[in-house]
Amino acid sequence: MEKKKPVSTTKKNEIVSTQVRSSSTYISDDIAFSILSKLPLKSFKRVESVRKSWSLLSEDTHFMNMFRNNFLSSNSYYDGASLFLKVTTWPDMQQMQVLYTLSGHRFQNIVNSDFSNPFKHDRDFQIFGFGSINGTLLLHQRCCYRHALWHPSTKKYKILPPSQFESYILDDVKRYYSIVCYIDGFGCDCVTDDYQVIRYIFFADPNNDLRSNSWRILDVDMPPSLDTTEGNHVYMDGVCHWLCQKDYGYWKKHNISFQPSLVSFYLSNEVFFITPIPSDVDVCFDVETNWRNFFKGTNWRNLAVLNGTIALFSYHEKKTTFQISILGEIGMKESWTKLFTMGPLPCVDRPIGVGMKGEIFFIRKDKELAWFDLSTQMIEELGFKVDRPGCRITIYKESILPFEGINNYLFFLFLPTDI
């Protein structure tokens, strides 16, 4: 019988080394899931197809809890920011807006900001978008189409000039026009370092010339927001995003169709993309119903930036539930991921905005101002009562950057006069 040759010491070491290298390539599911839970949403969506078990992770409660915790803990996009609370008051039977600054770990510091309204006699205004851009906020009056840039750190304002068409209307008030104006976007072009304002104007005079030195027409056929409600617009990294509503009213009557979607407009090259809205929050885009129930705080939606990601907050009034979905990739409906569902919360009267880390601020039915902490899943009171509508939360991050350079862009959609 042939004897086996003894294995040399060198050969044994090679075998052991190979086994060690082979075993070191194996990663347990627990470790793999922990790593995957720390990935940005866009990266996670791309690796879901690597393994069948990974494709089901978004349905796994334990994994989604890890993902949520990591997502919230790494949210540094608005580090160092504070909040503005806009409250409507009626002194001497005249409407005016008061701004308070909210700061502190639990927003316990509420201070009157000593705000000076740039619109003088017309005191009603809104703060556009989700938060400040380089320390600058855009204020606007939706009824008379006036706009102003406001830099709270320096207390400086810049009133934006009207378009040539609007100036013409003011000088010729005897002539009848059908005009509707909306702001679709406000942001900063990362290439030119200029602030830009995007507006949608619909009117029924095809002969009017809109050319001017400060506003120009964007030759693009993209859906407008058709809604001036605060919270429907957000800016991030050179891109303006806004929510397009369902077709309704005038547009629905004349077969002009809009579907619930997120419109993303790149300021540097004037290219836009459309991302359909998840069907489970479609009910929150029934604008006609929302306007009928505006003072009741019915279905609500709010765009926000969470951890450098576009987030859609929605509130279903009948179910009294909040839902947060985050977007993995622009233009892909399938990349929306439901991050949170909170409720039922029957104490909610109406939501009023979103904070830096996704805190949901709302007015309770007893008129107390409160907020929902995503990390603790608890409701906190602010010790502040609001008894009138028109209350709104906006993020403000201080900056010393000036806003002297500005380009104003007008997005214009022409419709025939016989509509």
Side-chain angles (χ1 to χ4, degrees):
M1 188 173 181
E2 184 178 356
K3 293 183 179 181
K4 293 183 179 180
K5 295 181 180 180
V7 180
S8 66
T9 304
T10 303
K11 191 67 175 177
K12 286 181 179 179
N13 291 338
E14 289 178 357
I15 294 173
V16 172
S17 178
T18 302
Q19 290 175 340
V20 170
R21 286 199 302 270
S22 176
S23 63
S24 65
T25 60
Y26 172 75
I27 300 177
S28 67
D29 285 344
D30 287 344
I31 296 176
F33 293 170
S34 177
I35 294 172
L36 291 174
S37 70
K38 295 179 173 66
L39 289 177
L41 180 61
K42 186 174 181 178
S43 301
F44 170 67
K45 284 294 184 181
R46 288 179 175 176
V47 302
E48 273 187 316
S49 59
V50 174
R51 292 183 183 178
K52 184 178 180 180
S53 59
W54 292 5
S55 66
L56 302 175
L57 284 178
S58 58
E59 301 173 13
D60 184 284
T61 303
H62 176 65
F63 174 81
M64 287 306 295
N65 284 336
M66 287 195 299
F67 186 88
R68 292 186 192 101
N69 291 335
N70 290 328
F71 185 85
L72 292 176
S73 63
S74 58
N75 185 20
S76 59
Y77 195 82
Y78 278 104
D79 277 355
S82 57
L83 297 177
F84 276 131
L85 168 64
K86 179 171 72 74
V87 177
T88 301
T89 61
W90 289 82
D92 302 323
M93 301 303 293
Q94 289 187 348
Q95 183 181 7
M96 68 176 296
Q97 314 292 333
V98 180
L99 286 181
Y100 296 90
T101 302
L102 273 59
S103 60
H105 180 61
R106 315 206 72 77
F107 309 107
Q108 68 274 15
N109 303 320
I110 304 178
V111 180
N112 193 315
S113 67
D114 193 24
F115 169 76
S116 178
N117 193 331
F119 300 118
K120 305 297 181 184
H121 303 297
D122 298 312
R123 299 181 179 184
D124 184 31
F125 70 91
Q126 291 183 312
I127 301 177
F128 182 81
F130 174 64
S132 62
I133 300 171
N134 295 335
T136 299
L137 292 164
L138 175 64
L139 312 181
H140 70 106
Q141 293 180 307
R142 63 186 178 191
C143 295
C144 48
Y145 313 129
R146 284 199 285 260
H147 316 85
L149 294 182
W150 176 41
H151 198 264
S153 296
T154 60
K155 300 188 182 299
K156 289 184 178 180
Y157 294 98
K158 182 180 181 69
I159 304 293
L160 301 189
S163 67
Q164 183 173 337
F165 175 72
E166 290 161 297
S167 300
Y168 180 69
I169 288 294
L170 294 176
D171 294 334
D172 194 10
V173 294
K174 294 181 180 180
R175 188 172 177 181
Y176 176 77
Y177 289 88
S178 175
I179 177 172
V180 179
C181 298
Y182 297 100
I183 302 179
D184 280 338
F186 167 56
C188 184
D189 187 340
C190 300
V191 177
T192 63
D193 240 3
D194 287 338
Y195 292 102
Q196 299 185 1
V197 178
I198 306 169
R199 297 179 62 204
Y200 166 87
I201 292 184
F202 160 73
F203 71 100
D205 182 4
N207 300 312
N208 190 64
D209 185 2
L210 278 178
R211 291 171 297 178
S212 68
N213 294 325
S214 58
W215 294 87
R216 73 176 175 83
I217 298 174
L218 290 177
D219 189 18
V220 291
D221 186 17
M222 62 183 173
S225 65
L226 298 184
D227 194 354
T228 55
T229 305
E230 293 166 304
N232 281 267
H233 313 79
V234 72
Y235 165 85
M236 185 179 74
D237 300 336
V239 185
C240 292
H241 307 267
W242 61 84
L243 295 174
C244 177
Q245 323 299 332
K246 277 185 178 179
D247 42 20
Y248 73 104
Y250 183 92
W251 287 268
K252 187 175 183 179
K253 178 181 177 182
H254 295 287
N255 298 318
I256 302 172
S257 180
F258 301 111
Q259 293 302 318
S261 57
L262 175 74
V263 181
S264 303
F265 183 79
Y266 289 73
L267 296 175
S268 59
N269 56 11
E270 299 178 4
V271 172
F272 73 95
F273 294 89
I274 297 175
T275 308
I277 293 298
S279 55
D280 56 345
V281 295
D282 186 76
V283 66
C284 294
F285 286 78
D286 187 346
V287 180
E288 196 167 19
T289 301
N290 288 346
W291 271 110
R292 283 200 306 266
N293 297 281
F294 176 74
F295 295 107
K296 292 170 133 184
T298 183
N299 300 329
W300 167 88
R301 66 264 172 217
N302 200 112
L303 281 179
V305 177
L306 288 183
N307 195 15
T309 303
I310 298 298
L312 172 60
F313 289 67
S314 56
Y315 174 69
H316 195 290
E317 190 265 342
K318 287 186 178 179
K319 298 179 180 178
T320 67
T321 56
F322 287 96
Q323 180 175 309
I324 304 175
S325 300
I326 54 177
L327 181 63
E329 192 161 351
I330 291 173
M332 295 183 61
K333 181 179 182 179
E334 299 76 17
S335 69
W336 287 104
T337 295
K338 188 188 297 184
L339 192 65
F340 287 98
T341 299
M342 295 81 67
L345 299 171
C347 66
V348 175
D349 181 41
R350 59 184 181 274
I352 62 169
V354 177
M356 288 84 72
K357 294 186 177 181
E359 304 94 341
I360 301 174
F361 288 81
F362 60 92
I363 299 173
R364 297 193 321 194
K365 290 183 178 177
D366 62 1
K367 306 307 177 185
E368 284 283 346
L369 191 60
W371 58 284
F372 185 87
D373 190 330
L374 295 183
S375 300
T376 63
Q377 300 283 294
M378 299 291 290
I379 293 176
E380 304 278 349
E381 292 184 1
L382 286 175
F384 192 95
K385 282 206 171 189
V386 179
D387 59 357
R388 294 183 182 274
C391 193
R392 179 67 190 170
I393 285 287
T394 305
I395 294 177
Y396 171 65
K397 189 170 184 178
E398 193 173 67
S399 173
I400 60 173
L401 294 175
F403 55 51
E404 275 71 20
I406 180 169
N407 287 325
N408 301 303
Y409 285 169
L410 168 67
F411 168 58
F412 163 70
L413 174 65
F414 171 74
L415 294 176
T417 56
D418 57 354
I419 286 183

